[in-house]
Amino acid sequence: MSKTILGGFPNRRPRRNRKNDFSRRLVAEHQLTVNDLIYPMFVLEGTGRRESIASMPGVERLSIDLLLEEAAELVALGIPMIAIFPVTPLEQKSLLAEEAYNADGLAQKAVRALKSSFPDLGVMTDVALDPFTTHGQDGIIDDSGYILNDITTEILVKQALSHAAAGADIVAPSDMMDGRIGAIREALEKAGHVNTQIMAYSAKYASNYYGPFRDAVGSASNLKGGSKVTYQMDPANSDEALHEVAMDIEEGADMVMVKPGMPYLDIVRRVKDEFGVPTFAYQVSGEYAMHMAAIQNGWLKEQECVLESLLCFKRAGADGVLTYFAKRVAIWLKENNA
């Protein structure tokens, strides 16, 4: 911002531009549109299955047939992409997470079904092992419980390749292993998946805001209160986020993400200012749950507060937001612009 003094009162009355609707619209610095929305969705095995999530009111786990019905509505609303997260049955979990790269696994089947029915809808997949491990951690553990980086990366590569083969448009490694973006990019290139994009969870913090998500995918009971601080970032650190982002870009990430969202908007701003790359943020399950608790208690107005929260992401520099409010927001935006 220019340091030139622009003038003082009464020559400048900032409220002049705020008086009328037309002028408020003309001088608005940022705008939220449907193009900013990515909708995270949870998918179940079976047919005709729909399960509510107690800690995330209004969010459901859906079987693939119902997922397709929902996707038809999302396409009609103009939402550009969904992110799918599989709910893995306990009997399919293992220490080495073999189900993660099963060509006929739940995520892979969901991707094929979605791309067959809605080829223009973007589909992003989660590349991480926590839904598939018996201990709920994002990688392979040694005898002390420490996550082994390089062995985990080998399995993440297999998982990403299986998603790309199924037709995923974007693979999104959320594990925070060192070097995994480069390994996945190299493998995708060698396999001919040169246009498969990578959205790296580059600055993913060891946050307390993930609890409801772990309930949703069924990893909370496996994790049993365990910590992820040896691979996810310390909430105290900001410069480190820039180092992580720089590494992921150098290794071949097309887009980067900051997670969680609103408590970390300063990180979004720093990333966007420093690198100028496509930058996304995740309004995570805990943020959603807090909003919904206040809304259901009548303490906050739903539409106004949710739209404000997402506009804050845009102001901070995010090019788009993963949010469980995406469908509702798309409906509101359509109604407000009608």
Side-chain angles (χ1 to χ4, degrees):
M1 179 180 290
S2 172
K3 294 181 180 179
T4 303
I5 297 174
L6 298 175
F9 181 87
N11 290 333
R12 281 193 55 80
R13 291 178 179 265
R15 289 184 59 194
R16 287 193 194 107
N17 287 340
R18 301 175 196 150
K19 181 177 185 295
N20 299 301
D21 175 70
F22 75 83
S23 56
R24 290 193 298 271
R25 288 159 53 200
L26 285 170
V27 302
E29 298 175 31
H30 300 281
Q31 187 177 23
L32 178 69
T33 77
V34 72
N35 298 327
D36 300 315
L37 304 174
I38 301 172
Y39 194 21
M41 303 183 73
F42 301 102
V43 60
L44 286 168
E45 289 282 10
T47 303
R49 294 185 63 195
R50 182 189 302 272
E51 294 180 355
S52 60
I53 302 165
S55 56
M56 300 179 70
V59 177
E60 296 177 314
R61 309 178 189 96
L62 301 173
S63 54
I64 292 176
D65 57 320
L66 299 183
L67 180 71
L68 294 177
E69 291 181 9
E70 188 78 357
E73 296 183 39
L74 303 178
V75 169
L77 288 167
I79 291 176
M81 185 163 72
I82 65 173
I84 58 172
F85 297 91
V87 181
T88 307
L90 183 60
E91 63 272 14
Q92 294 178 355
K93 300 186 181 193
S94 64
L95 286 173
L96 296 178
E98 289 94 344
E99 185 64 20
Y101 53 89
N102 178 2
D104 291 318
L106 179 56
Q108 292 82 347
K109 289 188 295 186
V111 170
R112 286 195 293 269
L114 285 163
K115 296 307 296 182
S116 175
S117 298
F118 308 102
D120 294 329
L121 175 65
V123 177
M124 184 170 88
T125 57
D126 181 43
V127 177
L129 304 186
D130 51 322
F132 306 98
T133 56
T134 51
H135 44 71
Q137 295 284 359
D138 292 58
I140 308 307
I141 60 174
D142 64 13
D143 291 340
S144 70
Y146 184 73
I147 305 301
L148 300 170
N149 192 93
D150 297 356
I151 295 173
T152 296
T153 297
E154 291 176 9
I155 298 176
L156 294 170
V157 168
K158 293 180 182 180
Q159 184 182 24
L161 286 173
S162 74
H163 291 176
D169 300 291
I170 298 178
V171 293
S174 64
D175 56 285
M176 289 299 287
M177 296 299 111
D178 294 337
R180 88 282 202 209
I181 299 300
I184 291 171
R185 174 55 72 203
E186 181 181 2
L188 290 171
E189 290 285 324
K190 286 182 178 178
H193 300 299
V194 298
N195 289 320
T196 301
Q197 297 159 268
I198 298 176
M199 182 187 290
Y201 285 63
S202 298
K204 181 178 180 180
Y205 285 83
S207 173
N208 291 293
Y209 287 91
Y210 302 148
F213 175 91
R214 292 170 183 165
D215 292 338
V217 297
S219 64
S221 59
N222 300 98
L223 192 59
K224 297 176 181 177
S227 171
K228 299 190 177 186
V229 296
T230 67
Y231 49 100
Q232 294 179 356
M233 284 186 55
D234 185 343
N237 294 352
S238 176
D239 291 343
E240 185 184 14
L242 300 186
H243 302 159
E244 290 277 9
V245 170
M247 288 177 63
D248 286 352
I249 295 169
E250 184 178 9
E251 291 176 21
D254 302 285
M255 312 168 185
V256 298
M257 187 200 300
V258 174
K259 181 182 181 183
M262 287 186 71
Y264 295 83
L265 291 183
D266 61 313
I267 308 300
V268 175
R269 181 76 271 164
R270 291 195 69 186
V271 169
K272 193 63 175 179
D273 287 346
E274 181 73 20
F275 301 104
V277 297
T279 302
F280 294 79
Y282 200 142
Q283 188 178 49
V284 298
S285 59
E287 298 174 67
Y288 175 87
M290 289 192 301
H291 274 91
M292 289 303 299
I295 289 164
Q296 291 183 336
N297 276 286
W299 299 333
L300 293 177
K301 294 181 179 179
E302 181 176 16
Q303 183 174 153
E304 291 87 342
C305 285
V306 171
L307 292 176
E308 179 185 341
S309 73
L310 295 178
L311 189 60
C312 292
F313 283 89
K314 295 292 292 180
R315 189 194 64 236
D319 294 289
V321 186
L322 289 87
T323 174
Y324 300 98
F325 289 112
K327 182 179 178 182
R328 269 172 276 182
V329 169
I331 292 171
W332 296 334
L333 291 174
K334 189 172 184 179
E335 292 173 346
N336 293 343
N337 293 326

